[in-house]
């Protein structure tokens, strides 16, 4: 039996937790149940087992006296978010994290627990590799931000099989999302491939990704620091044009990804750099049909 040991999370801290009802999130909920001030569950009503998973979370929270907030996504809400994205995965993520932000504010809590695991890390990194992403970091970070919310992923170093074993050992109830079992989506196919890896295969891939991240670490820190200053200056063209070429590229990349433009092309990024290199007072750069970047001197 693989034991999930204590993380750096302390009893003094309070967290809200995003819990789907799957084995990963239920393992996290069980492990950190005494440190969670509010559980947040989203029911998208897109599969037959959605209500089952909601009831699993409700029952656990009731038995352990943990407050629960459930978002039941309506067609009206879907229609509102379709203005931001037509991709369902992106749309669902925006709905989910905007809900988490609202819950955190009501709970007066700034930290969110999410149950991404090591297999999720590899899955994301592999997709980035296949798409030849220009990201400076491959995989999923153990900590990140969404608006003012700090996202913490305490299970990011644990394999999926370990979490399943933990649930069985502790008799933790969970549901399996059947939509993840098909081969219709690339992410699902990669998930299946990774789940079959032995520890040697897993570690060899992790070594490659860690090497990539280490090489780009210094550039990443520089870009993050300069990006914050650029953001304060309302994305000033003059400030951008003073930066080195590689820094300009990744500043635009970060701007686009923060605005939910996933894996922007090199041509798109270079087009925006060229736009900012010229004087265009009052003009805008059209990134897509409904999204623009204004020119700020």
């Amino acid at each position: 039996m693989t034991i999930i040991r204590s993380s750096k999370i302390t009893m003094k801290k309070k967290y809200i937790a995003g819990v789907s009802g799957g084995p990963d999130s239920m393992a996290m909920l069980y492990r950190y149940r005494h440190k969670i001030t509010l559980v947040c569950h989203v029911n998208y009503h897109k599969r037959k087992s959605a209500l089952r998973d909601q009831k699993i979370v409700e029952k656990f929270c009731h038995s352990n006296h943990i407050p629960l907030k459930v978002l039941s996504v309506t067609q009206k809400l879907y229609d509102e978010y379709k203005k931001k994205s037509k991709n369902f995965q992106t749309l669902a993520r925006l709905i989910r994290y905007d809900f988490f932000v609202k819950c955190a504010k009501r709970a007066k809590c700034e930290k969110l627990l999410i149950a991404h695991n090591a297999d999720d890390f590899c899955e994301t990194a592999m997709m980035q590799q296949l798409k030849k992403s220009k990201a400076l970091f491959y995989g999923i970070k153990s900590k990140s931000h969404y608006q003012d919310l700090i996202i913490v992923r305490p299970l990011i170093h644990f394999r999926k099989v370990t979490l399943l074993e933990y649930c069985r050992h502790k008799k933790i109830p969970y549901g399996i999302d059947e939509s993840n079992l098909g081969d219709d989506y690339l992410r699902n196919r990669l998930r299946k491939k990774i789940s079959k890896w032995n520890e040697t295969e897993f570690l060899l891939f992790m070594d490659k990704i860690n090497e990539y991240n280490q090489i780009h670490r210094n550039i990443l820190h520089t870009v993050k620091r300069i990006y914050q200053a650029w953001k304060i200056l309302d994305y000033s063209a003059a400030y951008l044009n003073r930066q080195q070429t590689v820094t300009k590229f990744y500043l635009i990349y970060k701007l686009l990804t923060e605005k939910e433009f996933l894996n922007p092309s090199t041509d798109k990024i270079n087009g925006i750099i060229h736009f900012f290199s010229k004087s265009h007072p009052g003009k805008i750069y059209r990134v897509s049909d409904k999204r623009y970047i204004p020119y700020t001197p």
Side-chain angles (χ1 to χ4, degrees), residues 55-70:
K55 289 185 178 298
I56 288 172
V57 179
E58 287 175 341
K59 185 176 180 180
F60 185 94
C61 289
H62 178 74
S63 299
N64 290 273
H65 310 289
I66 305 172
L68 169 67
K69 192 75 174 176
V70 175

Side-chain angles (χ1 to χ4, degrees), residues 138-153:
Y138 276 5
I140 304 173
K141 294 179 181 178
S142 59
K143 286 186 180 181
S144 61
H145 292 78
Y146 182 82
Q147 297 181 25
D148 295 327
L149 194 59
I150 300 169
I151 302 168
V152 182
R153 300 177 175 89

Side-chain angles (χ1 to χ4, degrees), residues 136-137 209-219:
L136 291 171
F137 182 91
I209 298 304
N210 288 333
E211 182 181 2
Y212 176 94
N213 289 341
Q214 187 62 44
I215 290 170
H216 293 84
R217 193 180 303 276
N218 290 336
I219 301 174

Side-chain angles (χ1 to χ4, degrees), residues 60-281:
F60 185 94
C61 289
H62 178 74
S63 299
N64 290 273
H65 310 289
I66 305 172
L68 169 67
K69 192 75 174 176
V70 175
L71 174 64
S72 184
V73 183
T74 62
Q75 187 58 50
K76 181 180 178 181
L77 187 58
Y78 277 125
D79 291 341
E80 288 177 11
Y81 274 85
K82 281 179 182 176
K83 298 172 185 176
K84 299 181 181 181
S85 176
K86 293 180 181 178
N87 177 277
F88 177 75
Q89 295 300 324
T90 301
L91 180 149
R93 182 181 182 277
L94 288 171
I95 290 174
R96 182 167 66 250
Y97 279 91
D98 284 352
F99 173 59
F100 293 155
V101 169
K102 290 177 182 178
C103 289
K105 288 179 180 177
R106 289 171 185 164
K108 297 181 179 178
C109 186
E110 61 180 16
K111 293 184 174 68
L112 165 72
L113 295 183
I114 291 292
H116 285 128
N117 59 55
D119 288 45
D120 296 324
F121 179 100
C122 288
E123 178 187 312
T124 299
M126 192 175 288
M127 287 194 73
Q128 290 170 309
Q129 276 190 331
L130 291 173
K131 292 179 179 180
K132 297 181 180 179
S133 170
K134 302 297 180 181
L136 291 171
F137 182 91
Y138 276 5
I140 304 173
K141 294 179 181 178
S142 59
K143 286 186 180 181
S144 61
H145 292 78
Y146 182 82
Q147 297 181 25
D148 295 327
L149 194 59
I150 300 169
I151 302 168
V152 182
R153 300 177 175 89
L155 305 183
I156 198 66
H157 300 298
F158 295 103
R159 292 292 309 273
K160 177 89 171 182
V161 65
T162 301
L163 299 175
L164 284 165
E165 190 178 350
Y166 182 73
C167 286
R168 287 192 287 267
H169 179 71
K170 296 290 185 179
K171 295 182 172 56
I172 304 167
Y174 63 83
I176 296 295
D177 181 350
E178 68 275 11
S179 66
N180 291 330
L181 303 178
D183 291 329
D184 294 340
Y185 298 101
L186 173 61
R187 186 174 286 276
N188 285 4
R189 295 195 293 273
L190 295 179
R191 184 177 294 127
K192 284 186 177 181
K193 178 180 179 179
I194 292 167
S195 70
K196 296 175 183 177
W197 283 352
N198 59 37
E199 286 306 305
T200 300
E201 292 171 312
F202 178 81
L203 291 173
L204 284 172
F205 182 77
M206 286 295 292
D207 283 345
K208 290 180 182 178
I209 298 304
N210 288 333
E211 182 181 2
Y212 176 94
N213 289 341
Q214 187 62 44
I215 290 170
H216 293 84
R217 193 180 303 276
N218 290 336
I219 301 174
L220 177 62
H221 288 320
T222 300
V223 169
K224 285 174 68 175
R225 175 177 53 80
I226 295 175
Y227 184 81
Q228 290 306 313
W230 190 41
K231 194 173 183 179
I232 291 171
L233 294 170
D234 199 23
Y235 307 107
S236 160
Y239 185 81
L240 176 71
N241 291 329
R242 289 199 296 270
Q243 309 306 319
Q244 295 181 356
T245 302
V246 68
T247 306
K248 288 180 188 178
F249 184 92
Y250 284 112
L251 285 172
I252 299 298
Y253 179 90
K254 186 168 177 60
L255 172 63
L256 292 176
T257 53
E258 281 201 355
K259 293 184 179 295
E260 298 295 334
F261 290 99
L262 304 180
N263 198 35
S265 68
T266 297
D267 288 344
K268 178 74 71 177
I269 294 171
N270 286 334
I272 296 171
I273 291 173
H274 180 73
F275 172 75
F276 274 103
S277 71
K278 308 294 182 181
S279 180
H280 300 291

